[in-house]
Amino acid sequence: MKKTKDKVKTSWNLQEAMNIYNKPFNDLLYEAQTIHRKNFKNNEIQMSTLLSVKTGSCPEDCAYCPQSAHHNTNLKKEKLISIQQVKESAIIAKEAGSTRFCLGAAWRSPTDNDLNTVCEMIKEVSSLGLETCVTLGMLKDYQAKKLAEAGLDYYNHNIDTSKEYYSKIISTRTYQDRLNTLENVRKANLKVCCGGILGMGESVEDRIKMLITLANLPKHPESVPINQLIKISGTPLEKEQDLDPIELVKTIALARILMPFSYVRLSAGRTEMSESTQALAFFAGANSIFQGDVLLTAENPNKKKDSKLLNKLGIVSEELTLN
Ligand code: SAM
Ligand code: DTB
Ligand code: SF4
């Protein structure tokens, strides 16, 4: 039977969202799972693979990031890699079952010259029958259009946390800068991948406010990555307190309820999560992961470990449906 689409709400307020978040755990998860199975295939998740095409020496001072030039993280810095290297990695990702290939660059914003090269990379990846996503920092409107013309599917640009907590984490750009880029991406008719990081010392209210910002955008992001902070030595957040897994799962459930048709990705930080936490996150509505033993620069569970978990849970990877 064809699943019918409900109307999407983009006017959530804090009290409404808090009332959902504060429901007893089982009620919250039941509600999230009910919405999830109404809108998605019950036991499928979408797989993406990341590739860092330009690593390190980023001028921005994001407190969580190993690639910021402001922190000393022992990272091997690299110039923009070749189109051929991108193609080879994309072929491997496709063979491993990924349907989307995401290129990341440690830039505040791309130069027009670099953007031309990334456009060529996008064409190569697309020609392999993979969805494409890039994350290159801030974009001007004409740059977003150029990416769209090259055939890009998704642009990733995270708001990371609440507007109120943002300045505790990043001082070299504003929340409004982030929102402006997201607007340029939408105007270019690209799909939006936008989420944030949990476990940076923010409050539960900050997390809820972050989700409300996403859910109140004129159109919900098609993809919502929820990252758990990977505590990288040398960054200001290296000694941050561990995130409570129950809070992670509740936040995912809230994301599922507020944005019922968006893919919610259980993103960075899975190496530190138990199988049970990940299983609960999938039950709460997470239906996408990054696969491959590295994210951009940090560790991710390897294929063997992920296959073992997904087999235990009877979850299969979603096939790409071309529209
Ligand atoms: N420079 C671009 C930007 O910031 O928009 C793109 C690359 S940046 C590494 C992509 C995203 O990775 C960030 O927005 C952040 O959400 C996530 N990220 C970076 N370091 C992380 C960490 N240590 N733990 C969890 N997520 C992280
Ligand atoms: C997202 O939200 N998480 C990904 C992707 N979008 C680009 C990146 C996670 C990066 C983790 C740290 C690293 O690998 O350097
Ligand atoms: Fe640069 Fe992006 Fe890392 Fe911030 S998150 S330091 S913008 S690479």
Side-chain angles (χ1 to χ4, degrees):
M1 202 173 64
K2 204 165 182 328
K3 302 195 173 189
T4 50
K5 215 164 172 172
D6 293 334
K7 208 172 170 316
V8 177
K9 171 169 164 162
T10 53
S11 57
W12 295 93
N13 67 45
L14 183 60
Q15 196 55 55
E16 282 172 320
M18 279 185 18
N19 289 347
I20 299 171
Y21 185 90
N22 289 326
K23 282 185 184 191
F25 187 73
N26 286 346
D27 291 348
L28 174 64
L29 260 66
Y30 181 74
E31 186 175 335
Q33 176 63 205
T34 305
I35 289 175
H36 185 78
R37 47 185 57 218
K38 205 170 154 201
N39 299 328
F40 292 97
K41 299 229 173 90
N42 304 349
N43 300 300
E44 285 192 3
I45 60 170
Q46 186 276 330
M47 307 275 212
S48 292
T49 297
L50 282 165
L51 177 68
S52 180
V53 295
K54 192 267 161 192
T55 307
S57 313
C58 181
E60 304 274 37
D61 68 353
C62 311
Y64 47 79
C65 187
Q67 304 202 63
S68 166
H70 298 255
H71 322 314
N72 200 346
T73 58
N74 283 325
L75 187 73
K76 194 169 163 272
K77 301 164 183 73
E78 277 169 19
K79 294 212 178 81
L80 190 58
I81 64 172
S82 70
I83 298 171
Q84 185 57 26
Q85 280 172 291
V86 171
K87 191 176 171 184
E88 284 163 17
S89 301
I91 291 170
I92 295 169
K94 191 177 179 189
E95 279 166 3
S98 276
T99 54
R100 191 176 311 162
F101 196 63
C102 314
L103 309 178
W107 289 322
R108 174 173 163 82
S109 52
T111 62
D112 289 344
N113 210 4
D114 285 337
L115 198 76
N116 285 338
T117 311
V118 173
C119 284
E120 292 311 309
M121 292 173 175
I122 291 166
K123 288 178 194 162
E124 284 291 345
V125 176
S126 271
S127 73
L128 297 169
L130 284 161
E131 288 183 318
T132 52
C133 177
V134 299
T135 179
L136 315 171
M138 291 187 263
L139 288 186
K140 304 249 170 43
D141 51 1
Y142 74 90
Q143 294 182 310
K145 283 194 194 109
K146 227 171 166 180
L147 288 167
E149 278 159 20
L152 180 69
D153 296 302
Y154 290 80
Y155 195 78
N156 166 251
H157 200 65
N158 291 342
I159 55 169
D160 282 332
T161 187
S162 68
K163 182 170 186 281
E164 292 75 10
Y165 199 64
Y166 200 74
S167 58
K168 304 255 183 329
I169 300 298
I170 298 147
S171 77
T172 49
R173 59 169 189 255
T174 64
Y175 211 63
Q176 192 55 48
D177 288 331
R178 272 334 235 190
L179 297 174
N180 292 347
T181 291
L182 289 170
E183 201 183 319
N184 289 336
V185 167
R186 269 296 180 220
K187 275 196 298 203
N189 275 327
L190 289 166
K191 290 183 192 148
V192 170
C193 171
C194 182
I197 308 180
L198 311 183
M200 301 191 293
E202 74 287 345
S203 64
V204 167
E205 192 170 309
D206 287 312
R207 292 175 199 148
I208 296 176
K209 284 180 170 166
M210 171 181 88
L211 292 183
I212 289 177
T213 301
L214 297 174
N216 287 352
L217 287 170
K219 189 173 177 197
H220 291 171
E222 283 79 1
S223 177
V224 179
I226 302 293
N227 298 279
Q228 171 174 295
L229 175 71
I230 302 178
K231 294 179 235 175
I232 311 276
S233 301
T235 64
L237 299 182
E238 65 177 331
K239 296 208 166 68
E240 204 45 69
Q241 266 202 345
D242 281 347
L243 177 69
D244 177 347
I246 299 291
E247 287 183 8
L248 166 75
V249 171
K250 287 176 67 166
T251 308
I252 290 194
L254 183 62
R256 168 52 62 235
I257 294 167
L258 299 191
M259 293 169 279
F261 300 103
S262 304
Y263 279 79
V264 176
R265 183 174 308 114
L266 185 61
S267 299
R270 289 196 301 111
T271 45
E272 295 297 314
M273 290 173 206
S274 67
E275 289 195 336
S276 320
T277 299
Q278 293 184 65
L280 277 175
F282 298 139
F283 189 76
N287 58 344
S288 171
I289 56 170
F290 285 121
Q291 66 167 355
D293 18 335
V294 265
L295 293 159
L296 290 172
T297 69
E299 252 195 319
N300 196 44
N302 62 32
K303 177 91 187 144
K304 204 169 146 209
K305 220 171 164 201
D306 273 346
S307 299
K308 190 171 148 235
L309 172 61
L310 297 180
N311 281 338
K312 274 197 215 182
L313 302 177
I315 292 177
V316 295
S317 41
E318 186 187 89
E319 307 258 333
L320 190 59
T321 43
L322 297 170
N323 42 2

